[in-house]
């Protein structure tokens, strides 16, 4: 029956009426503008369950706006300001792109969520120059698929469902990071909706301060609706593969983790920048001193003698349990499964960037894995192109980092994870904002050192004096 009424457009009409009733009766909020009525989802709506959550938590918002256009975003911002004014600024306001934010701030309880996942267009503007316009609601797996036929790649996250919006505004440490640098290092412009609903097109010469701030400064300046990227060419001269990479996965059984980390670092730091390496280390059997290390090594380019030498060396770093190699399209490595969000990963993540994996750091990693029931520790060697950018060029400043360490633990163990990770933080050079669930001011000070924080704060205070965008990592 409902389907039938829906077809006739009658159910929609009735539900809009009910929606306004709900807003009026339950919350005493102002009436929604006409442009948002069809996009609004309330707790009583049958579709509420499908859109209330992100990857990490189930939200209980009072209102979700499923934006379809940039104008919808502008109208939502104006509406949220109005609700906030009436409610003494107490209503939470979250922005969700891909819903994979480890900060977990893209959903909330009792507030408003603006979902922009329908703004997901990927447009190639100039294939020769690698220029692409990408809307913030797209996910990286889909971006890779769209770029691939043109032999183009943008090094982004390791998982296809992560969103362009949340990853880019925080930096983006991708699978080809050593060769191509951070995701933001390829950004040449962006459209931003500010807290007063103004649309700004920012680049190096127009609104350069805003352009600086959205490259690593997170979401406190405004909502980015569209990014202009200059993608990289990755070509196989034989033309059989569009964006060739060689992927090696090795599972090692390791007894002396410190020695292993030392040898792995020696190996990867001597390798050409074409090679990026990620490790996931677990102590899954809970045998002190016996670790399972899963290495993912990605060679940007086709299979050749050079790649063979380095992969061969990797296979000798420790006792190998499993070893696989394949040549593939970059796009096939980051396919997006488009799994609906149900708050399915109740985890808590901490990280630090490091200047080297020193013996002391290796000892602390071993210590955590031996004494804390974590889900694992991830290591990435990231030294390369990102180190060639001046620290003041973007709001992502840890340009001296060559390593990345992340501790994954169960959400309920957050306090213990903070405590156990503390020694590593002291040895680190800063924190990557997108990959930490810790929203404390101490953590923010590690993400943005004082000289960056004060510049960011001045811009945020000017653009958003009422702190409309306070759901995210904020100074
Ligand atoms: C499985 C998994 C793998 C990951 N792998 C990597 C990786 O390899 N490399 C890496 O760098 N990161 C990685 N991440 C971290 C990820 O990049 C960040 O958590 C990122 O914020 C997710 O973006 P999103 O759009 O999906 O998130 P959302 O949950 O939609 O948003 C997170 C936050 O970002 C801000 N935000 C979102 N959209 C916008 C916008 N359009 N404008 C302004 N601010 C916005 C908001 O503050 C929001 O609360 C991974 C995360 C997961 C869950």
């Amino acid at each position: 029956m409902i389907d039938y009424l829906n077809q006739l457009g009658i159910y929609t009409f009735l539900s809009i009426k009910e929606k306004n009733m709900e807003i009026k009766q339950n919350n005493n909020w102002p009436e929604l503008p006409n442009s948002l009525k069809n996009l609004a989802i309330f707790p009583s709506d049958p579709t509420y369950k499908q859109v209330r959550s992100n990857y990490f938590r189930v939200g209980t918002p009072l209102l979700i706006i499923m934006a379809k256009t940039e104008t919808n975003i502008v109208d939502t911002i104006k509406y949220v300001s109005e609700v906030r004014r009436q409610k003494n600024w107490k209503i939470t306001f979250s922005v969700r792109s891909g819903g994979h934010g480890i900060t977990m701030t893209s959903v909330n309880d009792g507030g408003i969520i603006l979902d922009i996942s329908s703004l997901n267009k990927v447009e190639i503007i100039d294939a020769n120059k690698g220029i692409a316009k990408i809307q913030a609601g797209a996910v990286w797996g889909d971006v890779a698929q769209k770029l691939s036929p043109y032999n183009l790649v943008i090094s982004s996250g390791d998982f296809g469902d992560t969103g362009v919006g949340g990853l880019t505004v925080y930096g983006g440490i991708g699978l080809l990071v050593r060769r191509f640098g951070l995701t933001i290092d390829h950004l040449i412009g962006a459209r931003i909706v500010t807290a007063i609903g103004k649309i700004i097109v920012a680049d190096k010469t127009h609104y350069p301060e805003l352009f600086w701030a959205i490259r690593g400064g997170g979401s406190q300046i405004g909502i980015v609706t569209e990014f202009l990227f200059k993608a990289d060419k990755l070509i196989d001269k034989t033309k059989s593969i569009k964006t060739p990479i060689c992927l090696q996965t090795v599972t090692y059984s390791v007894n002396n983790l410190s020695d292993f980390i030392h040898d792995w670092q020696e190996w990867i730091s001597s390798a050409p920048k074409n090679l990026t390496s990620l490790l996931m280390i677990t102590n899954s059997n809970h045998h002190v001193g016996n670790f399972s290390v899963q290495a993912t090594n990605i060679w940007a380019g086709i299979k050749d003698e050079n790649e063979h030498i380095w992969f061969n060396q990797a296979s000798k770093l420790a006792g190998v349990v499993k070893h696989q190699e394949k040549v593939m399209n970059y796009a096939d490595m980051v396919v997006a499964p488009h799994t609906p969000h149900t708050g399915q990963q109740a985890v808590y993540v901490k990280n630090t960037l490091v200047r080297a994996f020193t013996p002391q750091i290796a000892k602390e990693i071993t210590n955590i894995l031996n004494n804390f029931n974590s889900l694992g520790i991830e290591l990435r060697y990231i030294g390369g192109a990102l180190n060639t950018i001046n620290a003041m060029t973007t709001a992502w400043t840890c340009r001296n980092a060559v390593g990345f360490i992340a501790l994954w633990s169960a959400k309920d163990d957050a306090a213990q994870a903070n405590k156990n990770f503390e020694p590593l933080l002291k040895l680190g050079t800063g924190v990557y904002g997108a990959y930490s669930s810790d929203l404390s001011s101490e953590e923010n000070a590690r993400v943005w050192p004082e000289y960056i924080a004060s510049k960011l704060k001045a811009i945020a205070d000017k653009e958003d004096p009422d702190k409309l965008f306070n759901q995210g990592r904020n100074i």
Side-chain angles (χ1 to χ4, degrees):
M1 185 64 169
I2 284 174
D3 279 352
Y4 177 66
L5 292 177
N6 237 338
Q7 268 175 23
L8 296 177
I10 292 171
Y11 179 68
T12 319
F13 169 72
L14 289 175
S15 67
I16 286 171
K17 221 171 149 190
E18 282 162 12
K19 280 170 186 182
N20 275 327
M21 289 285 286
E22 187 155 349
I23 279 224
K24 279 206 172 107
Q25 284 167 10
N26 296 346
N27 313 317
N28 205 18
W29 290 359
E31 190 175 337
L32 277 166
N34 284 339
S35 59
L36 299 182
K37 283 177 182 167
N38 269 329
L39 310 170
I41 295 178
F42 294 93
S44 58
D45 279 317
T47 49
Y48 178 79
K49 250 184 153 173
Q50 293 153 30
V51 292
R52 65 193 288 189
S53 304
N54 63 19
Y55 189 61
F56 296 103
R57 56 175 288 228
V58 175
T60 53
L62 290 178
L63 171 65
I64 305 163
I65 302 288
M66 301 297 290
K68 288 201 164 61
T69 63
E70 195 174 62
T71 311
N72 296 155
I73 294 175
V74 172
D75 291 349
T76 305
I77 282 178
K78 290 181 177 164
Y79 179 73
V80 172
S81 298
E82 194 46 41
V83 174
R84 281 231 178 137
R85 242 188 299 282
Q86 290 197 15
K87 294 284 164 186
N88 291 328
W89 302 96
K90 287 202 180 106
I91 301 298
T92 325
F93 174 47
S94 297
V95 180
R96 181 173 60 200
S97 289
H100 273 70
I102 291 175
T103 54
M104 302 176 200
T105 45
S106 60
V107 299
N108 62 54
D109 299 320
I112 301 170
I113 297 174
L114 169 62
D115 179 293
I116 63 166
S117 59
S118 294
L119 279 88
N120 56 18
K121 211 163 132 195
V122 182
E123 208 182 330
I124 313 291
I125 305 296
D126 184 331
N128 277 333
K129 292 187 180 147
I131 310 294
K133 253 190 210 171
I134 305 177
Q135 286 189 310
V139 295
W140 284 108
D142 292 346
V143 173
Q145 295 291 339
K146 282 276 168 66
L147 297 183
S148 187
Y150 304 93
N151 310 108
L152 295 173
V153 290
I154 298 173
S155 179
S156 55
D158 61 358
F159 184 51
D161 266 356
T162 49
V164 170
L167 182 134
T168 309
V169 294
Y170 283 107
I173 298 177
L175 292 173
L176 309 174
V177 58
R178 291 196 66 225
R179 174 153 165 196
F180 296 130
L182 298 176
T183 307
I184 47 168
D185 298 339
H186 298 272
L187 198 58
I188 52 174
R191 285 174 74 89
I192 308 166
V193 181
T194 67
I196 54 163
K198 190 172 154 195
I199 298 168
I200 281 176
V201 181
D203 57 28
K204 258 188 188 165
T205 46
H206 306 93
Y207 300 94
E209 301 275 274
L210 298 196
F211 186 54
W212 172 85
I214 54 136
R215 287 177 293 162
S219 54
Q220 35 196 347
I221 307 302
I223 300 175
V224 183
T225 57
E226 186 178 271
F227 298 93
L228 191 64
F229 280 104
K230 184 165 178 4
D232 288 292
K233 285 246 185 243
L234 196 58
I235 299 181
D236 166 8
K237 290 198 181 79
T238 67
K239 299 213 167 100
S240 58
I241 300 175
K242 286 290 179 190
T243 49
I245 57 156
C246 303
L247 169 69
Q248 180 189 44
T249 51
V250 190
T251 307
Y252 305 95
S253 173
V254 172
N255 290 322
N256 188 328
L257 192 57
S258 291
D259 280 356
F260 176 80
I261 291 173
H262 172 270
D263 293 348
W264 169 72
Q265 176 171 233
E266 287 283 296
W267 163 73
I268 186 66
S269 60
S270 326
K273 310 270 181 298
N274 275 18
L275 191 57
T276 297
S277 183
L278 292 71
L279 304 179
M280 180 51 107
I281 312 172
T282 50
N283 194 351
S284 49
N285 297 327
H286 306 300
H287 291 151
V288 171
N290 189 307
F291 305 96
S292 172
V293 179
Q294 164 90 46
T296 305
N297 304 324
I298 305 112
W299 178 269
I302 48 166
K303 216 170 166 51
D304 60 16
E305 262 177 35
N306 215 351
E307 162 270 336
H308 180 71
I309 292 168
W310 294 100
F311 276 10
N312 194 29
Q313 286 184 15
S315 66
K316 294 182 178 139
L317 288 174
V320 173
V321 178
K322 209 172 152 196
H323 177 188
Q324 278 186 325
E325 285 179 28
K326 55 181 161 182
V327 185
M328 61 200 296
N329 249 325
Y330 171 76
D332 293 336
M333 175 141 192
V334 288
V335 174
H338 292 287
T339 311
H341 295 310
T342 54
Q344 57 266 54
Q345 291 291 339
V347 299
Y348 182 81
V349 187
K350 289 281 291 181
N351 80 73
T352 186
L353 294 151
V354 294
R355 271 180 249 188
F357 293 97
T358 62
Q360 183 62 27
I361 285 175
K363 197 174 137 206
E364 297 298 348
I365 291 171
T366 308
N367 205 14
I368 295 174
L369 287 163
N370 278 339
N371 299 304
F372 174 51
N373 193 11
S374 72
L375 302 171
I377 292 189
E378 189 184 339
L379 305 191
R380 298 188 188 200
Y381 194 84
I382 61 173
L386 80 82
N387 305 123
T388 62
I389 307 283
N390 183 291
M392 288 310 287
T393 305
T394 66
W396 201 100
T397 53
C398 272
R399 296 290 180 168
N400 56 5
V402 302
F404 173 70
I405 306 170
L407 168 66
W408 289 76
S409 63
K411 200 179 213 163
D412 291 345
D413 296 333
Q416 198 56 41
N418 282 342
K419 199 163 164 231
N420 285 315
F421 203 70
E422 192 68 34
L424 281 173
L425 282 177
K426 288 197 176 121
L427 297 167
T429 178
V431 162
Y432 174 35
Y435 223 89
S436 165
S437 315
D438 180 351
L439 293 173
S440 67
S441 51
E442 292 82 7
E443 186 79 333
N444 291 343
R446 292 179 201 112
V447 175
W448 299 298
E450 177 49 34
Y451 65 102
I452 293 294
S454 53
K455 184 171 172 186
L456 257 180
K457 188 171 177 332
I459 300 171
D461 285 349
K462 186 168 161 229
E463 294 302 326
D464 184 14
D466 293 329
K467 303 277 170 262
L468 188 82
F469 305 119
N470 66 358
Q471 285 304 296
R473 186 176 294 290
N474 286 79
I475 290 174

